[in-house]
Amino acid sequence: EDLKEVIRLHKAYSKSKKIIEYKPKGVKSTDKPIKESIGSIIKKSSVNVKYGQLLFNLVKHFNPQNMLELGTSVGISTAYMAQGNEHSKFISIEGVPEKINIAKEIYDKLKHKNIHFLCDDFDTVLQNVIESFEKIDLVYFDGNHKKESTINYFETCLQKIHNESIFVFDDIYWSDEMAEAWNYIKNHQKVSLSVDIFRMGLIFFKKEMSKENYVIKF
């Protein structure tokens, strides 16, 4: 019942043929903008319903009060997480303004009040955003898929973790670089437990747990 409207909107926007024109982050200023339908963006880069439900269930179960998302895209994963706890402080960062406009449209339809969208480069704003949190309970990493960047964002976010914090990484096998970044992260000394469900990786920091790396068929 909680997710009915989110799933309805997810499916509706997945069929949208509305074209948006945007410049992807990290491309040269001389590169031509991309023209792409909203439906195509969702099929290519957003979570499907199964993984959306997983994000919702994680939030519902662990009840994080302070959440951060790196890579809003058009706001599909954002909607699932926000629905899990409508009273959390939730900041979602995206570098492409045309995509964030669609996310805001979905946000308005769901009548969410807890999401603060930030349109900027992660490298520019992440440190300040982290400092705005007293502590961080959940971070969803789904932006820059380069190894060095992913590790940098992970280490920046470590500044505000506590025993119950959870980090979720999307697309951990998207490329060799992402697989290398995931390998570094799961073996980091502050990480007590990693769960690899192939598309995503979950990271826990509970000190009372002995170091484990699980691989689960999801």
Side-chain angles (χ1 to χ4, degrees), residues 70-171:
L70 298 180
T72 317
S73 187
V74 294
I76 300 298
S77 49
T78 325
Y80 282 102
M81 289 188 284
Q83 195 72 11
N85 182 0
E86 293 179 50
H87 305 292
S88 60
K89 173 186 177 180
F90 187 5
I91 297 176
S92 185
I93 310 172
E94 169 60 50
V96 178
E98 294 81 4
K99 287 184 177 179
I100 228 164
N101 289 339
I102 307 300
K104 286 177 177 172
E105 206 177 278
I106 293 171
Y107 162 86
D108 287 340
K109 288 179 178 172
L110 289 167
K111 298 180 172 61
H112 285 145
K113 299 280 187 283
N114 61 329
I115 309 172
H116 175 64
F117 290 106
L118 198 52
C119 188
D120 215 323
D121 288 335
F122 304 159
D123 294 335
T124 311
V125 296
L126 184 57
Q127 184 58 46
N128 286 342
V129 168
I130 288 297
E131 285 170 13
S132 77
F133 285 102
E134 192 185 325
K135 62 188 176 89
I136 198 125
D137 303 317
L138 187 141
V139 186
Y140 181 55
F141 298 82
D142 186 24
N144 189 321
H145 287 60
K146 294 188 174 75
K147 177 184 178 179
E148 190 184 345
S149 302
T150 302
I151 289 170
N152 284 344
Y153 304 148
F154 163 70
E155 292 186 330
T156 302
C157 292
L158 285 178
Q159 294 170 57
K160 290 294 173 83
I161 58 162
H162 55 94
N163 205 49
E164 308 303 316
S165 297
I166 302 165
F167 286 2
V168 182
F169 291 85
D170 196 23
D171 300 321

Side-chain angles (χ1 to χ4, degrees), residues 25-41:
K25 281 290 151 190
V27 298
K28 295 189 284 294
S29 56
T30 51
D31 288 351
K32 285 197 176 83
I34 289 174
K35 290 182 180 178
E36 197 173 10
S37 73
I38 293 167
S40 163
I41 292 168

Side-chain angles (χ1 to χ4, degrees), residues 47-72:
V47 291
N48 59 23
V49 172
K50 177 171 128 171
Y51 282 95
Q53 286 174 318
L54 172 71
L55 291 173
F56 168 80
N57 289 332
L58 265 177
V59 172
K60 195 90 176 153
H61 180 76
F62 290 103
N63 195 33
Q65 299 306 302
N66 298 293
M67 300 199 289
L68 173 63
E69 177 177 45
L70 298 180
T72 317

